[in-house]
Amino acid sequence: MGGLVASTRAELLRLRKWPAVWVLATVWLLLNLTFAYLFNYIAYATGSSGFSNEGVPPDALLPDLLPAAIPSVLTGGMPMFGGAIMFILGALAAGSGFGWGTWKTVLTQRPRRLPAFGGTLAAVGVAVVGVVAATLVLDVATSTLIAVVEGQSIVWPALGPLAESAAGALLIFGMWAAAGVLVGVLTRSPALAVGLGLVWSLVVENLLRGVGNLLSGIEYVTDVLPGTAAGSLAGALGAGGAGDPDGAPGVLTVLDGGPAALLVAAYLVVFAAVAALLMRHRDVV
């Protein structure tokens, strides 16, 4: 246990001092602010259609910009854009140690392999929690500002839906971060891992789902892919707002909320476990 705690503290220090981590977090927060609030507020103010809400009356966009809608807004961009960024974070956290030679140095010192790698997983988990918390704070601040500017009464969301949305956000981001860690360990190269992850999350799954709509039988595979599970979880939490949930990037309604949450959690555990198993048995030179 002492080795795991020490490794976690060391990894947290490394991530906290690493500019790439802060850049990734900032990029996600800017994306969330832009797509969840800025575009739709501009559409509301100018009387045009909002982002992913073509054909929706501008007045119908305002409720999704107010504090009461935070539970549905929080996970809107996480299955695709946010998931890709968390994948990069996990791939960098695990894969950089091979290129830099730090894994070899760490594993020749006191900590055993599993506690050392467990520290990386724990640190990435803490980073995910921090990003989700920052996203929630940003959504609260932005929606409150819009309510004040538009002269709307501030109605806070119920605690239950908000907690469900936050838990779903943690599952989605945690799964993609764990996937990044696994691919980083598999490839031993953060650059290759990042490239593969972006191609998979942004291109391959969408193509497979498109093929599944044309060929019978393929949907049995596409319905249980990581992106489908994450998108369905976001859709079950109300992501998509006033428009069609299936029209929002990455948000789907293929699976119900319960099965989607269980599948995302299962992927998270499997990705982390397989990555730890590989680190325990493979050569890191």
Side-chain angles (χ1 to χ4, degrees):
M1 183 61 69
L4 176 61
V5 173
S7 297
T8 302
R9 293 177 59 186
E11 285 297 305
L12 285 173
L13 177 62
R14 179 171 73 96
L15 295 181
R16 190 171 71 247
K17 296 289 187 178
W18 199 358
V21 174
W22 293 101
V23 170
L24 289 173
T26 301
V27 168
W28 158 245
L29 292 176
L30 289 175
L31 285 173
N32 176 72
L33 177 64
T34 300
F35 289 107
Y37 291 101
L38 183 59
F39 283 172
N40 284 338
Y41 182 71
I42 293 175
Y44 165 76
T46 59
S48 58
S49 295
F51 177 73
S52 297
N53 287 315
E54 291 81 359
V56 176
D59 289 344
L61 298 174
L62 183 59
D64 291 332
L65 302 175
L66 300 178
I70 290 175
S72 61
V73 172
L74 180 63
T75 58
M78 290 183 173
M80 180 172 289
F81 302 122
I85 291 175
M86 289 301 103
F87 191 104
I88 295 173
L89 173 63
L92 291 177
S96 60
F98 294 97
W100 296 344
T102 52
W103 275 125
K104 181 169 62 175
T105 302
V106 168
L107 296 179
T108 56
Q109 304 301 315
R110 181 63 178 258
R112 297 173 63 86
R113 290 193 175 208
L114 285 183
F117 186 69
T120 298
L121 290 174
V124 170
V126 171
V128 166
V129 173
V131 173
V132 171
T135 305
L136 181 58
V137 170
L138 178 63
D139 287 354
V140 169
T142 305
S143 60
T144 302
L145 177 61
I146 292 174
V148 171
V149 170
E150 294 299 323
Q152 301 290 319
S153 59
I154 298 178
V155 178
W156 299 111
L159 184 59
L162 184 62
E164 289 181 356
S165 183
L170 289 173
L171 282 176
I172 294 171
F173 269 7
M175 182 198 72
W176 283 119
V181 169
L182 173 59
V183 178
V185 173
L186 282 171
T187 62
R188 306 190 192 188
S189 168
L192 179 58
V194 167
L196 291 175
L198 291 178
V199 169
W200 176 266
S201 61
L202 300 180
V203 179
V204 174
E205 286 208 22
N206 290 321
L207 290 176
L208 290 175
R209 280 194 290 269
V211 172
N213 292 331
L214 300 175
L215 300 177
S216 61
I218 302 297
E219 67 272 10
Y220 294 109
V221 176
T222 59
D223 286 356
V224 295
L225 292 175
T228 303
S232 296
L233 178 56
L237 291 170
D244 180 7
D246 284 325
V251 178
L252 304 170
T253 54
V254 175
L255 302 174
D256 293 334
L262 290 175
L263 191 55
V264 170
Y267 272 122
L268 192 163
V269 172
V270 170
F271 289 155
V274 173
L277 186 63
L278 287 173
M279 282 295 296
R280 181 179 181 182
H281 294 288
R282 77 185 304 184
D283 186 3
V284 296
V285 178

